[in-house]
Amino acid sequence: MNLLTIVAVVGMLPASRSLVTTIMYIKSNGISDSDYEQISELSRPLTGSFDNVFTTYEKTYEVPALVVRSGNVCGYVAKEYKTLEALEKHLTTCIKKEGYSVNVKIFETIDAYKTRLISINKLEETEQEKDLAILQILHEISL
């Protein structure tokens, strides 16, 4: 084995990761137009993200909508999953490893998510930088 072989193999790692990410995006559905219309106005003042795909060690979860405010991370899943506790625990663990204390809750129904968005909008505004840092962590661990 020579040096060029090693360079070729190492060079394939980023390409392979990009290919896997592309395949996962193609498989995911994203947020529906009706769901987006229902929550876009409520989530506008919040730090948020749409069309997220998270992978735990056991399962892949599509989270079409996600917001962060004052140490609260709230998400909505359109698909039915047996349990969302594994996802909530995974997100909490990843964020806490970076030194932030958070409360993560993922909702299965759009009505429950909208109710939570209304209540989270009433919370006092905190440092926007902290919310952005938490959102950045979530983007780093999502596809």
Side-chain angles (χ1 to χ4, degrees):
M1 193 162 28
N2 62 23
L3 183 62
L4 291 177
T5 304
I6 294 171
V7 169
V9 170
V10 172
M12 288 301 296
L13 293 176
S16 299
R17 183 179 189 278
S18 295
L19 179 63
V20 169
T21 300
T22 302
I23 291 169
M24 294 302 289
Y25 274 131
I26 291 170
K27 285 178 59 177
S28 68
N29 297 323
I31 190 166
S32 69
D33 292 337
S34 63
D35 287 349
Y36 178 77
E37 289 174 9
Q38 290 184 53
I39 62 175
S40 64
E41 197 62 39
L42 293 171
S43 62
R44 192 170 318 269
L46 303 170
T47 304
S49 179
F50 290 100
D51 297 334
N52 303 283
V53 179
F54 295 101
T55 56
T56 64
Y57 295 109
E58 296 85 24
K59 193 165 181 68
T60 300
Y61 296 89
E62 292 181 37
V63 183
L66 191 70
V67 296
V68 179
R69 185 163 202 180
S70 303
N72 293 288
V73 176
C74 299
Y76 163 67
V77 293
K79 282 182 162 183
E80 288 188 29
Y81 294 100
K82 289 184 181 177
T83 179
L84 293 172
E85 293 169 359
L87 175 61
E88 291 172 350
K89 183 179 177 185
H90 175 71
L91 295 179
T92 302
T93 302
C94 291
I95 295 169
K96 283 186 177 181
K97 282 181 183 177
E98 299 296 325
Y100 295 98
S101 176
V102 293
N103 176 27
V104 177
K105 179 65 180 160
I106 307 295
F107 296 93
E108 296 179 86
T109 64
I110 192 75
D111 293 328
Y113 184 62
K114 286 172 28 181
T115 302
R116 183 63 179 137
L117 285 178
I118 291 168
S119 66
I120 205 170
N121 270 316
K122 294 178 183 176
L123 293 175
E124 289 183 28
E125 285 197 41
T126 59
E127 299 173 16
Q128 180 91 12
E129 296 161 1
K130 179 181 175 186
D131 293 344
L132 288 172
I134 292 172
L135 188 62
Q136 180 63 35
I137 295 166
L138 292 169
H139 283 165
E140 288 172 1
I141 63 173
S142 70
L143 294 180

